[in-house]
């Protein structure tokens, strides 16, 4: 189970090696994604709170990257944070997520991205529920839900 200390270490010292890499040109991404998906995943945008389709869904399934289909989170670690974005306590695998320090907008946060294709997902914070204490705050537009079994 990842802890805040490990998240910070990844953001400072380097991320886990992904199982694979997907790299495309910006124009390829723009062709494949909706304008809102492109704005959020490739231009590091954010959707308005409580506006995302996946925010209030709690059905069983896997949440995968909308850009490359890499599994990121599963429904067993999703929780209602009250923040207005889908929230999770852990990634589906340690190396599914990439972490970078984000100093935009006059604050310091840890940005989370798909470790396979570098899609911007959202941010992680140390104010989640136990036992990890982590809250991955993720844009709905950056994920797709595959409903059903959560076993890989």
């Amino acid at each position: 189970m990842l802890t805040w200390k490990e998240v910070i270490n990844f953001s400072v010292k380097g991320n886990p090696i992904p199982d694979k890499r997907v790299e495309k040109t910006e124009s390829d991404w723009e062709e494949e994604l909706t304008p809102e998906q492109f704005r959020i995943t490739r231009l590091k945008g954010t959707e308005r709170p409580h506006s995302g389709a996946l925010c209030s869904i709690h059905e069983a399934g896997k949440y995968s990257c909308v850009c490359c289909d890499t599994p990121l989170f599963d429904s067993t670690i999703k929780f209602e944070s009250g923040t207005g974005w889908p929230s999770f306590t852990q990634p589906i695998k340690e190396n599914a997520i990439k972490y970078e320090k984000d100093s935009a907008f006059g604050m310091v946060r840890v940005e989370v991205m798909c470790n396979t294709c570098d899609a911007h997902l959202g941010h992680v914070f140390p104010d989640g529920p136990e036992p990890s204490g982590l809250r991955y705050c993720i844009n709905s537009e950056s994920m797709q839900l595959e409903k059903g079994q959560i076993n890989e």
Side-chain angles (χ1 to χ4, degrees):
M1 175 180 308
L2 286 173
T3 65
W4 182 244
K5 181 178 179 180
E6 291 166 314
V7 165
I8 295 299
N9 280 339
F10 285 142
S11 72
V12 173
K13 297 179 181 177
N15 285 286
I17 296 170
D19 292 338
K20 64 179 181 173
R21 289 286 301 156
V22 173
E23 296 181 18
K24 298 180 182 182
T25 66
E26 288 302 299
S27 59
D28 287 340
W29 288 124
E30 202 163 9
E31 268 183 41
E32 293 177 20
L33 302 169
T34 68
E36 187 68 350
Q37 289 169 336
F38 181 80
R39 182 183 74 80
I40 289 170
T41 62
R42 309 321 304 177
L43 303 178
K44 300 182 185 280
T46 301
E47 61 199 17
R48 289 183 339 274
H50 304 285
S51 67
L54 299 177
C55 192
S56 59
I57 291 177
H58 295 283
E59 296 179 49
K62 282 192 249 181
Y63 293 84
S64 298
C65 177
V66 72
C67 295
C68 69
D69 207 34
T70 296
L72 302 170
F73 303 99
D74 72 49
S75 59
T76 64
I77 46 91
K78 187 176 188 207
F79 71 99
E80 188 57 54
S81 67
T83 61
W85 289 275
S87 298
F88 303 88
T89 59
Q90 291 285 305
I92 203 164
K93 289 175 65 176
E94 183 176 287
N95 69 344
I97 302 293
K98 180 178 181 179
Y99 304 87
E100 286 189 5
K101 181 180 173 182
D102 176 3
S103 300
F105 305 110
M107 58 183 125
V108 178
R109 304 179 289 177
V110 176
E111 177 187 5
V112 291
M113 292 163 286
C114 173
N115 205 15
T116 300
C117 72
D118 298 334
H120 171 73
L121 304 172
H123 293 85
V124 62
F125 302 94
D127 60 1
E130 294 300 327
S132 74
L134 298 177
R135 173 176 56 93
Y136 287 80
C137 190
I138 309 297
N139 291 289
S140 286
E141 290 287 337
S142 66
M143 299 182 296
Q144 55 199 359
L145 173 60
E146 179 187 332
K147 295 178 184 177
Q149 290 189 349
I150 57 174
N151 299 333
E152 279 194 48

